[in-house]
Structures are given as structure tokens and as C-alpha cells.
Amino acid sequence: ALCGADLLLALGGGMAAFELALLVRLLQLQAACGLCLLSAGLSAAVLALAWRLPSTRRTDEDAVLAGCGAALAAAAAAAIFSAQGSLPTPEEEMAPFGERSPAPIASHSSRRALELSERLAARGAKMYGAWWCSHCAGQKETLGAEAMGEGGFYVECSPDGAGAENERCVAAGVKGYPTWEVGGQLFPGEKDLSELEEMLSSAK
């Protein structure tokens, strides 16, 4: 049976091996991590302490125990780093037409929404929004796919969104999403068709 010292030895070997794999990975990434170095030092200290503790086993048996722990930790590190390698890189996550695109509009436009879209487009109206904004998605569903597509007034403000025009949104003074702009005036908030018609009427 394994005693406490044997278990500590196996654990120390595993910790040291995992920390070594982590340090190798940091070197590959050319990244600095003070806490990782501290953790590696502590793991090495645990292994050294466990090796010096009295044991009922021979030195070669202790080495086997430490090696088994190290092998298990190395396998775990390899599995983690392999899975990490399949994740998207920051550049891939920021790709223009990746996951950052707004959700497709499911609803179809009513005749009233199409007429309103034409009026909005004629006034040069803009709808400032973000791909992750639920109220923006709701506003699009209110107007419908055809009206939003024909109007061409949606402006993506999130820097990581597809076709983002963040500087334009900042210059316009947009504080939240969605925000409509008509005739240089800003009208924040999601609106139903009646409210959009009132917005057009009140805009200069």
C-alpha cells in the first residue's frame, strides 16, 4: 500500500512535470508569467521535500513513483495544450465576418414597415447598433428583413463587429444601442412602427 510520503512523491513529480510543460509552452509563446515561475519553484520544492522524506521503498521504487506522477501530468498537459491549439486565435476571433456578425433577421416586413423604410431612407436615417445588442435585434425584427435590407441604414458600432464603423458612431455621439439618427438628431431606444413614424414626424 502507498503511504503518505509515497503519495506526496507521486504528486510532487506530477506537479513538477506539469509546471515544466507550462514553462516550455510559455517559452514557445514568448510570454512572461511571474506567478508561473513561482508555482514552478514551489512544485520543485515539494518534489525535493517528498524525495527526502523517510520511505519504506527503495530509491529506484521512489523514482518510479515520481516518474508515474510526472507521466500522468505530462499527458494531461499535452491534452490541454492540444485542445488549446484548436481554439480560435485572437486574430480569428476578430475576423470581420466570423462569429461577430449580427444574427439573421427572421421576420418578413409588412407593407407598413416597407413604406416606413422608404421614408427613413429618404431622410438619410441611420440606426446605430451592435451585433451583440438584443434590443438592436428586436428593432430589426420589428422592421423585418426586407425593410432593413432595402433601407441600408444599419451602422455597426461594436469594434469587433462585421463591417464596424466605430469611429462614425463615436463622432455621432451615440451613447447606447439602438440609436436612430434623423436629420442630425439622435433618438435612442428600440421603437415600434408607430414610434418610428412619430420620430420621423418630430425630426427636423
Side-chain angles (χ1 to χ4, degrees):
L2 295 177
C3 66
D6 297 329
L7 291 174
L8 184 60
L9 184 61
L11 177 63
M15 291 173 59
F18 188 87
E19 293 295 341
L20 178 61
L22 179 59
L23 291 177
V24 170
R25 181 62 171 168
L26 289 174
L27 287 174
Q28 291 175 341
L29 296 175
Q30 297 182 342
C33 177
L35 289 177
C36 298
L37 293 174
L38 177 61
S39 178
L42 291 174
S43 298
V46 169
L47 177 60
L49 176 63
W51 187 265
R52 295 178 63 86
L53 286 176
S55 173
T56 59
R57 301 178 185 277
R58 300 192 309 272
T59 301
D60 58 342
E61 292 177 325
D62 287 341
V64 170
L65 279 173
C68 288
L72 288 173
I80 292 172
F81 296 148
S82 176
Q84 186 183 49
S86 65
L87 296 176
T89 64
E91 291 77 12
E92 291 172 336
E93 290 183 344
M94 296 293 286
F97 295 98
E99 297 179 349
R100 307 304 183 180
S101 298
I105 303 172
S107 66
H108 293 285
S109 303
S110 64
R111 181 178 298 275
R112 181 184 179 189
L114 289 170
E115 293 175 352
L116 181 56
S117 174
E118 292 178 1
R119 293 174 59 195
L120 287 166
R123 295 289 301 273
K126 296 298 177 185
M127 174 191 158
Y128 298 101
W131 62 267
W132 45 261
C133 169
S134 60
H135 289 289
C136 300
Q139 183 69 90
K140 295 175 185 178
E141 294 294 340
T142 297
L143 285 165
E146 296 80 8
M148 286 298 301
E150 293 177 7
F153 31 67
Y154 179 71
V155 179
E156 176 62 55
C157 294
S158 183
D160 58 352
E165 299 182 67
N166 181 253
E167 293 182 358
R168 181 177 180 181
C169 302
V170 172
V174 175
K175 304 298 183 183
Y177 312 124
T179 293
W180 286 90
E181 181 182 19
V182 183
Q185 293 179 263
L186 297 180
F187 300 87
E190 181 181 352
K191 306 181 185 306
D192 59 28
L193 295 182
S194 296
E195 289 171 328
L196 288 173
E197 290 169 343
E198 292 174 5
M199 177 187 75
L200 275 174
S201 300
S202 63
K204 297 178 181 179

